[in-house]
Amino acid sequence: MSDFPSADRPAIGCAATAELLGQGYPASVWPTGQQPSRELRKGRYTPESITHPGKMLPTIARYAINTYTDPGDTVLDPMAGIGTTMVEAMHLDRHGVGIEYEQRWATLAAINLTLAERRGAPGTGRVYTGDSRQLPTLLPPQIHGKVALVVTSPPYGPSTHGQVRTPGPRHGKIHKIHHRYGNSDNLAYRDHDTLATGFTDILTGCRTVLRSGGHLVITARPYRRHGELIDIPGMIVAAGHTAGLELVEECVALIAAVRNGRLIPRASFFQIKNVGDAIDHGDPQWLVQHEDVIIFKAKGEY
């Protein structure tokens, strides 16, 4: 079952967002989960790309870029990971720019950008290494005021699902692999308040490089820590307002397929196990099968 509105979690990230939507802000569903992530990346990204713990679904980046930009525009991802946003921008004849904190992922992103070039992507791509909390100082001056769209997602730290492995085909304890970022000082491993402050700094920097009328598209989902629901979408809305941005839409991007009017879940082993355990203990929960998509503009830019 999908984690759409429930007693456990409202459809909107927080009360303030619900009030805004009640005043007439639009919302919509993006059918971005028709294919598994592995199939979407096959031949388009290097096999090593699967080792990143927090990859954005390529179709989500593709949908946002198609919706909010035109060919030739510049698209930025300040938390670029393996370069999904830039690769999809390049294939859509846009110029992809990314910043990645960890050198390992920045190197892998650069390899994926080169692969896109070799496969005939008409756009260009460039990744910089650094801390996006100092974003304006990391990008060349000629980009400032030229970015049409920011597409990104905050880190989730220990909530990433990774992959399942066992020591043998019939026995051994199940364990995760590819579920952690490389550096312990990564923003993903800081407490919630530090994450919120850091993400606010990143959004403030993004606002300074956006062109007039530019958008920011941020994907997130709530997660549980020791049974408590952590409202990451609500944190993003609050961070955006603090950064001087204005909420213009909140959408749903499916990570499940739709077949004959029914959702076909693409939940991980640990998602299914954790939800099943919670239900067994009398705590009704649902499999999360969508990303919240929160869309901002700079205030007064219409």
Side-chain angles (χ1 to χ4, degrees), residues 211 258 269 282 291:
R211 74 181 186 191
V258 179
F269 170 86
E291 295 269 4

mmCIF file with all atom_site columns, all heavy atoms in Angstrom, residues 211 258 269 282 291:
data_model
loop_
_atom_site.group_PDB
_atom_site.id
_atom_site.type_symbol
_atom_site.label_atom_id
_atom_site.label_alt_id
_atom_site.label_comp_id
_atom_site.label_asym_id
_atom_site.label_entity_id
_atom_site.label_seq_id
_atom_site.pdbx_PDB_ins_code
_atom_site.Cartn_x
_atom_site.Cartn_y
_atom_site.Cartn_z
_atom_site.occupancy
_atom_site.B_iso_or_equiv
_atom_site.pdbx_formal_charge
_atom_site.auth_seq_id
_atom_site.auth_comp_id
_atom_site.auth_asym_id
_atom_site.auth_atom_id
_atom_site.pdbx_PDB_model_num
ATOM 1  N N   . ARG A 1 211 ? 18.396 32.486 -11.795 1.00 0.00 ? 211 ARG A N   1
ATOM 2  C CA  . ARG A 1 211 ? 17.987 33.599 -12.643 1.00 0.00 ? 211 ARG A CA  1
ATOM 3  C C   . ARG A 1 211 ? 16.572 34.020 -12.249 1.00 0.00 ? 211 ARG A C   1
ATOM 4  O O   . ARG A 1 211 ? 15.873 33.324 -11.503 1.00 0.00 ? 211 ARG A O   1
ATOM 5  C CB  . ARG A 1 211 ? 18.022 33.197 -14.109 1.00 0.00 ? 211 ARG A CB  1
ATOM 6  C CG  . ARG A 1 211 ? 16.894 32.284 -14.533 1.00 0.00 ? 211 ARG A CG  1
ATOM 7  C CD  . ARG A 1 211 ? 17.011 31.912 -15.993 1.00 0.00 ? 211 ARG A CD  1
ATOM 8  N NE  . ARG A 1 211 ? 15.834 31.144 -16.438 1.00 0.00 ? 211 ARG A NE  1
ATOM 9  C CZ  . ARG A 1 211 ? 15.761 30.517 -17.604 1.00 0.00 ? 211 ARG A CZ  1
ATOM 10 N NH1 . ARG A 1 211 ? 16.791 30.533 -18.429 1.00 0.00 ? 211 ARG A NH1 1
ATOM 11 N NH2 . ARG A 1 211 ? 14.661 29.865 -17.939 1.00 0.00 ? 211 ARG A NH2 1
ATOM 12 N N   . VAL A 1 258 ? 2.466  2.057  -11.937 1.00 0.00 ? 258 VAL A N   1
ATOM 13 C CA  . VAL A 1 258 ? 1.003  2.047  -11.995 1.00 0.00 ? 258 VAL A CA  1
ATOM 14 C C   . VAL A 1 258 ? 0.596  1.094  -13.103 1.00 0.00 ? 258 VAL A C   1
ATOM 15 O O   . VAL A 1 258 ? 0.977  1.275  -14.266 1.00 0.00 ? 258 VAL A O   1
ATOM 16 C CB  . VAL A 1 258 ? 0.441  3.453  -12.275 1.00 0.00 ? 258 VAL A CB  1
ATOM 17 C CG1 . VAL A 1 258 ? -1.084 3.404  -12.344 1.00 0.00 ? 258 VAL A CG1 1
ATOM 18 C CG2 . VAL A 1 258 ? 0.899  4.443  -11.215 1.00 0.00 ? 258 VAL A CG2 1
ATOM 19 N N   . PHE A 1 269 ? 13.812 -4.636 0.728   1.00 0.00 ? 269 PHE A N   1
ATOM 20 C CA  . PHE A 1 269 ? 13.626 -5.699 1.721   1.00 0.00 ? 269 PHE A CA  1
ATOM 21 C C   . PHE A 1 269 ? 13.423 -5.113 3.110   1.00 0.00 ? 269 PHE A C   1
ATOM 22 O O   . PHE A 1 269 ? 12.529 -5.520 3.850   1.00 0.00 ? 269 PHE A O   1
ATOM 23 C CB  . PHE A 1 269 ? 14.835 -6.630 1.713   1.00 0.00 ? 269 PHE A CB  1
ATOM 24 C CG  . PHE A 1 269 ? 14.853 -7.613 2.867   1.00 0.00 ? 269 PHE A CG  1
ATOM 25 C CD1 . PHE A 1 269 ? 14.174 -8.817 2.773   1.00 0.00 ? 269 PHE A CD1 1
ATOM 26 C CD2 . PHE A 1 269 ? 15.527 -7.312 4.037   1.00 0.00 ? 269 PHE A CD2 1
ATOM 27 C CE1 . PHE A 1 269 ? 14.181 -9.719 3.836   1.00 0.00 ? 269 PHE A CE1 1
ATOM 28 C CE2 . PHE A 1 269 ? 15.534 -8.197 5.104   1.00 0.00 ? 269 PHE A CE2 1
ATOM 29 C CZ  . PHE A 1 269 ? 14.860 -9.402 5.003   1.00 0.00 ? 269 PHE A CZ  1
ATOM 30 N N   . GLY A 1 282 ? 1.372  -3.756 16.525  1.00 0.00 ? 282 GLY A N   1
ATOM 31 C CA  . GLY A 1 282 ? 0.201  -2.915 16.703  1.00 0.00 ? 282 GLY A CA  1
ATOM 32 C C   . GLY A 1 282 ? 0.360  -1.477 16.254  1.00 0.00 ? 282 GLY A C   1
ATOM 33 O O   . GLY A 1 282 ? -0.458 -0.626 16.613  1.00 0.00 ? 282 GLY A O   1
ATOM 34 N N   . GLU A 1 291 ? 7.924  10.105 -3.484  1.00 0.00 ? 291 GLU A N   1
ATOM 35 C CA  . GLU A 1 291 ? 8.734  11.194 -2.948  1.00 0.00 ? 291 GLU A CA  1
ATOM 36 C C   . GLU A 1 291 ? 7.871  12.454 -2.927  1.00 0.00 ? 291 GLU A C   1
ATOM 37 O O   . GLU A 1 291 ? 7.156  12.736 -3.892  1.00 0.00 ? 291 GLU A O   1
ATOM 38 C CB  . GLU A 1 291 ? 9.956  11.453 -3.830  1.00 0.00 ? 291 GLU A CB  1
ATOM 39 C CG  . GLU A 1 291 ? 10.951 10.308 -3.891  1.00 0.00 ? 291 GLU A CG  1
ATOM 40 C CD  . GLU A 1 291 ? 12.026 10.404 -2.823  1.00 0.00 ? 291 GLU A CD  1
ATOM 41 O OE1 . GLU A 1 291 ? 11.954 11.338 -1.980  1.00 0.00 ? 291 GLU A OE1 1
ATOM 42 O OE2 . GLU A 1 291 ? 12.932 9.560  -2.832  1.00 0.00 ? 291 GLU A OE2 1
#
